[in-house]
């Protein structure tokens, strides 16, 4: 059985200093870290908050992902793919189920269908992102702490940028200047067209595009 919230907090505090600051993570010493260790310090560890605040979209009637189910660059009967704007890496995509589901509350029958499809779509999206010129890797993340509507992240890592390897990539993304939107739009359309060809569905036309069947 996992530690209770108060037990976990006490356990963590035992490793902290008088200000409840934990030592710097080993990750800060990696050569891919976006921060220098000198002058860097950990925020004080705050006590647990229970019950936890509700995530966005716990109530489907107040879910942005449901309200925006017609927006995206690619669709099929169960899923939609969107491009996340204002990012620093070359491309960030997000895959959402059209209906309001989280990973843990999918009924088994639906999970069997959607999980199988999710596996295929994830593989194809990664394949098509990594086929883009000057992209080395597609990172895939499922977190779920911020939104109750299932969403899968795809981050494109630019070729040659060795500091952007691994788990620091989302932090670097937040530090980098915004990537040129016209290039990201074109690459997103390329991925959507390739996904339509390899996995079916349809590419959603955007402003200035001709419709794609």
């Amino acid at each position: 059985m996992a530690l209770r919230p108060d037990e976990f907090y006490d356990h963590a505090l035992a490793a902290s200093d008088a200000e409840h600051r934990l030592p710097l993570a080993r990750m800060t010493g990696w050569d891919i870290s976006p921060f220098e260790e000198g002058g860097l310090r950990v925020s004080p560890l705050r006590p647990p908050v229970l019950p936890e605040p509700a995530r966005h979209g716990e109530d489907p009637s107040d879910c942005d992902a449901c309200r925006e189910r017609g927006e995206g660059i690619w669709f099929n009967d169960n899923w939609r793919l969107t491009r996340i704007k204002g990012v620093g890496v070359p491309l960030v995509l997000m895959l959402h189920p059209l209906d309001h589901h989280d990973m843990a509350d999918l009924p088994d029958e639906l999970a069997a269908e959607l999980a199988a499809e999710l596996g295929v779509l994830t593989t194809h999206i990664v394949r098509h992102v990594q086929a883009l010129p000057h992209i080395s890797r597609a990172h895939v993340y499922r977190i779920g702490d911020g939104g109750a509507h299932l969403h899968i992240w795809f981050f494109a890592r630019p070729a040659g940028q060795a500091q952007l390897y691994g788990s620091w990539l989302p932090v670097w993304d937040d530090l980098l200047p915004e990537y040129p939107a016209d290039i990201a739009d074109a690459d997103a359309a390329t991925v959507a067209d390739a996904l339509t060809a390899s996995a079916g569905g349809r590419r959603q036309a955007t402003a200035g595009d001709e419709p794609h069947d």
Side-chain angles (χ1 to χ4, degrees), residues 18 21-22 37-38 41 47 57 62 76-77 84 86 104-105 111 113-114 133 142 163 166 177 182 194 196 201 213:
R21 299 180 191 273
L22 293 164
E37 290 184 284
R41 63 178 185 171
D62 189 38
N76 72 6
D77 291 341
I84 305 302
D105 61 28
E113 176 186 355
L114 291 188
R142 185 266 168 177
Q163 276 185 288
D182 57 338
T196 302
D213 293 330

Side-chain angles (χ1 to χ4, degrees), residues 52-76:
E52 292 188 1
R55 298 175 298 171
H56 174 76
E58 294 283 8
D59 179 354
S61 67
D62 189 38
C63 176
D64 285 344
C66 289
R67 282 196 294 267
E68 298 166 358
R69 62 178 285 152
E71 299 180 14
I73 61 172
W74 174 91
F75 293 83
N76 72 6

Side-chain angles (χ1 to χ4, degrees), residues 108-133:
D108 286 349
E109 298 80 6
L110 187 58
E113 176 186 355
L114 291 188
E117 193 172 30
L118 174 60
V120 171
L121 291 176
T122 298
T123 298
H124 284 236
I125 293 167
V126 167
R127 184 180 301 156
H128 301 321
V129 169
Q130 292 183 176
L132 293 169

Side-chain angles (χ1 to χ4, degrees), residues 22-43 163 165-168 171-172 175:
L22 293 164
L24 289 177
R26 293 185 298 275
M27 292 171 61
T28 59
W30 296 353
D31 61 2
I32 59 173
S33 171
F35 307 111
E36 295 180 350
E37 290 184 284
L40 189 65
R41 63 178 185 171
V42 179
S43 297
Q163 276 185 288
Y165 280 12
S167 50
W168 279 115
V171 180
W172 278 108
L175 295 168

